């Protein structure tokens, strides 16, 4: 079950070939437009892409963007009964204007040279009403018996707050299932007692008001977060530097495992964190240990950064990455 901020990702592809005579600005000529799933919806589609059964809980507006999002999710067999419509807010939408599209399909363009010119955000960051929050909680409680794990996909858009976090953890406790969080700033310290969190290195540093510029700082920040939130595991994603997995050994000593990057081509890191938390949690739901789950997550992250936009990983792609890694490491 994925709880969080659902987002519509729009892509406007085209080219810039001249400067406007009206003002010294480029003229962008649109070739095509496409719509995809972002935020918690991207986490859900990553789970579904790898064969998991995804239940998505979130909020949309009463608009065309929300309708389109539900339609796309339904086509991927993602359970959308937990998505609530709030007439007081728009569906969170991020529109990316991308130049350099020289081919006809998104799949092909993901491997071509493309440049993001502009991103336009249309959203509300206001906290959802008590009525909407209680409606979401009712859905969550009803779906818990069928859930093997919970993901909080938090993007600071107002759907998740401290009260909802407390309520979900209280109701989920009897089920003893993994609760994993991809956190942002506002609720970072409200997730005490969850199983694991998966921040990127910038988010981790910001949480303790430190900038991570080297390994000693990474270790210090990681240990602070692990201790303060009483986590069983902390997975910090580090973009081009791979990942770092923090755990406490049975003797209480800190254990940190460095997971090197698995991609030589970084086209776009958009949505890589969504893939990381989806694969990590899906592995835990299948009874993998934290290290194995982190290894799979790292491999999946290496695949999606080679694609443009919020992308997913297929079983075939992940299996190929596992086989390549096994061959290289000699295992």
């Amino acid at each position: 079950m994925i709880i969080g901020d659902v987002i519509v990702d729009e892509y406007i592809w085209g080219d810039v070939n001249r400067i406007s005579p009206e003002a010294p600005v480029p003229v962008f000529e649109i070739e095509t437009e496409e719509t995809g799933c972002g935020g918690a919806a991207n986490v859900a589609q990553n789970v579904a892409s790898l064969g998991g059964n995804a239940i998505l809980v979130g909020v949309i507006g009463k608009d065309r963007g929300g309708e389109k999002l539900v339609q796309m999710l339904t086509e991927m067999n993602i359970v959308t009964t937990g998505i609530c419509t709030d007439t007081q807010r728009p569906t969170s939408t991020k529109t990316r204007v991308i130049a350099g599209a020289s081919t006809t399909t998104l799949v092909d363009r993901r491997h071509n040279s493309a440049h993001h010119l502009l991103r336009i955000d249309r959203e509300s960051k206001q906290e959802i009403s008590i009525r909407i929050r209680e409606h979401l909680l009712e859905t969550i409680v009803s779906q818990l018996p069928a859930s093997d794990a919970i993901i909080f996909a938090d993007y600071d858009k107002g759907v998740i707050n401290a009260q909802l976090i407390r309520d979900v953890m209280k109701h989920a406790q009897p089920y003893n299932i993994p609760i994993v969080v991809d956190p942002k700033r506002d609720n970072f310290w409200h997730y005490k007692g969850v199983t694991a969190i998966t921040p990127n290195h910038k988010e981790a540093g910001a949480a303790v008001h430190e900038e991570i510029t080297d390994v000693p700082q990474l270790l210090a920040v990681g240990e602070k977060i692990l201790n303060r939130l009483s986590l069983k595991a902390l997975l910090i994603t580090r973009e081009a530097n791979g990942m770092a997995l923090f755990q406490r050994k049975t003797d209480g000593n800190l254990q940190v495992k460095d997971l090197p990057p698995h991609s030589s081509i970084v086209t776009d890191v958009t949505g890589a964190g969504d893939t990381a938390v989806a694969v990590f949690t899906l592995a835990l739901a299948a009874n993998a240990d934290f290290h194995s789950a982190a290894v799979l997550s790292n491999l999946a992250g290496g695949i999606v950064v080679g694609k443009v936009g919020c992308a997913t990983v297929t079983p075939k792609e992940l299996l190929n990455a596992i086989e390549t890694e096994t061959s290289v490491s000699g295992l």
Side-chain angles (χ1 to χ4, degrees), residues 50-220:
L50 287 170
N53 298 315
I55 302 168
L56 183 57
V57 178
V59 177
I60 59 173
K62 189 175 180 60
D63 49 34
R64 178 56 186 154
E67 293 174 0
K68 178 64 175 176
L69 182 64
V70 170
Q71 178 186 339
M72 291 187 295
L73 294 167
T74 302
E75 290 171 355
M76 290 182 277
N77 295 319
I78 293 170
V79 178
T80 61
T81 52
I83 297 180
C84 182
T85 300
D86 186 346
T87 58
Q88 302 303 309
R89 64 195 294 136
T91 302
S92 293
T93 304
K94 298 183 185 298
T95 303
R96 295 174 175 88
V97 180
I98 305 174
S102 59
T103 53
T104 57
T105 69
L106 180 57
V107 173
D108 291 334
R109 285 198 294 272
R110 281 175 174 159
H111 301 283
N112 275 358
S113 175
H115 303 283
H116 285 206
L117 298 182
L118 180 68
R119 196 182 86 182
I120 304 165
D121 291 357
R122 184 167 57 251
E123 61 190 14
S124 169
K125 296 183 181 180
Q126 292 296 315
E127 197 168 290
I128 57 174
S129 67
I130 295 175
R131 180 183 64 83
I132 296 289
R133 189 185 75 223
E134 290 177 346
H135 180 79
L136 294 181
L137 183 62
E138 288 176 7
T139 300
I140 292 165
V141 171
S142 70
Q143 295 289 351
L144 274 170
S147 301
D148 297 308
I150 294 172
I151 297 173
F152 279 102
D154 193 345
Y155 293 83
D156 286 347
K157 307 300 182 187
V159 171
I160 298 175
N161 60 22
Q163 185 61 53
L164 182 63
I165 295 166
R166 286 193 296 268
D167 289 340
V168 171
M169 291 182 65
K170 179 182 70 175
H171 287 285
Q173 188 173 11
Y175 295 93
N176 194 32
I177 57 177
I179 301 176
V180 183
V181 182
D182 185 7
K184 291 294 182 289
R185 180 185 58 194
D186 290 355
N187 296 311
F188 196 100
W189 297 115
H190 293 148
Y191 289 108
K192 185 172 183 178
V194 300
T195 307
I197 67 173
T198 63
N200 62 42
H201 68 286
K202 293 178 182 177
E203 293 162 345
V208 296
H209 306 291
E210 296 180 22
E211 184 179 359
I212 298 175
T213 59
D214 55 32
V215 172
Q217 286 177 316
L218 173 70
L219 298 179

